[in-house]
Amino acid sequence: MLKQQPKQQKAVSTVQNANCVVMVPPKEFAFNAETALDNEFQHQVSQTTEQVRELAMREFRVMADQLRGAGVQVIEFDYPLGQIETPDAVFPNNWFSTTSDGALYTFPMACQNRQQEVRPDALCAALENSGRKVKSQDSLVDYLDQDAHLESTGVMVIDHLNKTIYAALSQRCDREVLEDYAERIGYERVVSFQTALPSGKPIYHTNVMMAIGEHFCVICDEVIPEFERRFVIKSLAKDKQVISISLEQMNQFCGNILELETDAGDKVIAMSQSAYDAFSPAQRAQLSSHAKLMPFNVKTIESIGGGSVRCMLGEVFLQKC
C-alpha cells in the first residue's frame, strides 16, 4: 500500500493550490462509449449532438468567466482538431501535470480516443502565450507499450505540502507507473489503495471520491476496504480536517472539487452545483471555513461525460514569466 520514495533534488510545488488552470472548450463533447466501459458516472441522453455541445459550451463559458472574475487565471486551450474526435477533451487534467520548477509531464491514457488529447507542444505554446513558460518536458506515455496507464490528477489526488500522492488503483492507475511518477517529481510517499462500488467495479478516477485542500480533505471512505480505509484516513487526518461523504454524495460529485488561489491570495473551492446541493449544511459550513465556495452548473458535462468541475481544471504550477 505504502511505498517510500527516494528524495529527489527537484524544486517541485511547495504550495497546495494553483492560481492558474487550463480549461478546454467542449467543442467535440459527446458521450464517450470507450470510457463508459468503466465509468459508471456517464449517462446517455436524448438530445442531439449539436444540442449537447451547445449546452456544454454554455456551461464551460460561464464557469471560465466566473473563475476569472474571482481572480483565478484561466488559460483556454483551444486545441487543434485531429482526425479522431476527442469527446472528453473538456477534462484536461487527465493527460498532463505541471510543477513549479517549470516541468510539464504527459501521461498514458487508457482509451484510444483520449490518447489523442495529448498535445504537449500545442499546450506549451498556449501556456507560454499566457505567461507560463515550460522549461522542460517529461513523458510517461511509453508505458502504453506495456498496456499500463496513469491518468494524471484524475487518478492521483496529491497532498503537495506533504509530498504524498493518494491513488485508487484501477485499469487507469497502474501501480508501477504511479510510483515512477512519484519518484520523478521527488514525492516521498505513495498511498495507493483498492476501491469497490456496489457493482463490484473499482472507482475509475480517484478524484471523484476524494479531494485535498490546504487544510481539509473530502473523501468517500466507504468505498475503500476497511483494512486499508483506516490507514488512509489516519494519513489524511495528520494535518487535514477530514470530511467524509456518502456514496450518494459521491455520485453527485461531492468528491470532485478543487481548492484554488486567486491573484489576491484568497482561496476558493470550485465545485458543481450538484455537489454544492448534495453537501449537508454542516459540510458546507466546514468547507466555507477554509475557502469561498464557488458552485457551477455543469449538469450536461457531468451527466454525459461522467466527470465534473475538478476534471475540467488542469492545474498550472508553472511560475509566471
Side-chain angles (χ1 to χ4, degrees):
M1 176 192 297
L2 178 64
K3 180 183 175 69
Q4 295 291 333
Q5 298 291 348
K7 292 185 178 181
Q8 304 292 308
Q9 300 300 315
K10 287 180 68 70
V12 294
S13 303
T14 55
V15 297
Q16 181 63 33
N17 305 318
N19 59 12
C20 176
V21 292
V22 168
M23 294 185 68
V24 177
K27 58 187 181 185
E28 295 182 296
F29 184 70
F31 181 84
N32 189 342
E34 287 188 35
T35 57
L37 295 176
D38 67 342
N39 181 349
E40 297 186 14
F41 293 80
Q42 290 179 235
H43 302 92
Q44 289 185 305
V45 293
S46 59
Q47 292 114 313
T48 66
T49 299
E50 291 73 20
Q51 290 172 325
V52 165
R53 289 178 182 170
E54 182 180 350
L55 290 169
M57 191 65 76
R58 191 179 307 159
E59 293 171 356
F60 167 88
R61 181 59 54 208
V62 170
M63 179 174 158
D65 289 347
Q66 290 186 0
L67 282 171
R68 286 194 183 100
V72 177
Q73 183 181 1
V74 176
I75 299 173
E76 289 191 29
F77 179 44
D78 193 2
Y79 63 94
L81 295 176
Q83 293 184 338
I84 299 176
E85 283 201 349
T86 53
D88 281 339
V90 71
F91 304 132
N93 80 306
N94 300 150
W95 67 265
F96 81 90
S97 71
T98 59
T99 58
S100 61
D101 64 340
L104 172 74
Y105 292 83
T106 50
F107 294 86
M109 307 282 282
C111 296
Q112 287 191 356
N113 63 9
R114 295 221 63 189
Q115 292 166 16
Q116 308 304 312
E117 298 173 29
V118 184
R119 300 176 172 93
D121 292 339
L123 178 59
C124 284
L127 290 166
E128 186 163 353
N129 287 339
S130 299
R132 305 277 178 159
K133 186 173 179 60
V134 175
K135 297 179 181 178
S136 65
Q137 292 189 48
D138 194 2
S139 178
L140 294 94
V141 172
D142 286 348
Y143 275 104
L144 289 174
D145 296 336
Q146 303 174 35
D147 197 28
H149 312 108
L150 185 72
E151 297 194 344
S152 190
T153 52
V155 297
M156 297 183 292
V157 176
I158 305 177
D159 179 352
H160 292 290
L161 298 179
N162 292 305
K163 292 183 167 52
T164 301
I165 300 175
Y166 293 86
L169 298 173
S170 68
Q171 70 167 356
R172 303 199 196 192
C173 182
D174 180 271
R175 190 193 302 271
E176 179 184 351
V177 193
L178 171 67
E179 293 174 350
D180 184 1
Y181 175 70
E183 186 171 353
R184 293 188 194 200
I185 66 171
Y187 276 24
E188 293 90 355
R189 299 178 69 233
V190 173
V191 179
S192 58
F193 48 89
Q194 304 293 330
T195 59
L197 293 166
S199 65
K201 291 183 178 181
I203 293 286
Y204 84 104
H205 274 168
T206 315
N207 74 2
V208 298
M209 62 162 286
M210 71 180 295
I212 293 176
E214 187 172 357
H215 299 297
F216 71 90
C217 171
V218 171
I219 182 169
C220 181
D221 51 300
E222 67 180 86
V223 300
I224 306 175
E226 186 177 355
F227 72 96
E228 292 184 302
R229 184 188 312 158
R230 290 193 297 268
F231 180 87
V232 174
I233 295 298
K234 183 179 179 180
S235 177
L236 290 165
K238 287 178 181 177
D239 61 356
K240 310 287 184 191
Q241 179 184 37
V242 178
I243 301 170
S244 180
I245 58 173
S246 67
L247 184 67
E248 291 75 20
Q249 288 178 307
M250 182 188 73
N251 289 336
Q252 295 300 314
F253 295 101
C254 288
N256 199 241
I257 68 178
L258 182 65
E259 187 176 38
L260 297 167
E261 193 165 303
T262 70
D263 289 336
D266 299 322
K267 295 178 177 60
V268 299
I269 301 175
M271 64 179 67
S272 72
Q273 187 66 51
S274 300
Y276 181 89
D277 293 341
F279 279 119
S280 70
Q283 289 170 329
R284 286 198 292 268
Q286 287 176 311
L287 291 169
S288 296
S289 71
H290 298 287
K292 177 185 176 182
L293 307 188
M294 292 193 67
F296 304 100
N297 180 358
V298 292
K299 194 66 178 178
T300 304
I301 292 171
E302 63 186 2
S303 176
I304 297 171
S308 189
V309 163
R310 194 277 170 265
C311 300
M312 297 169 64
L313 302 170
E315 294 156 285
V316 177
F317 289 101
L318 305 171
Q319 300 298 312
K320 290 183 178 180
C321 297

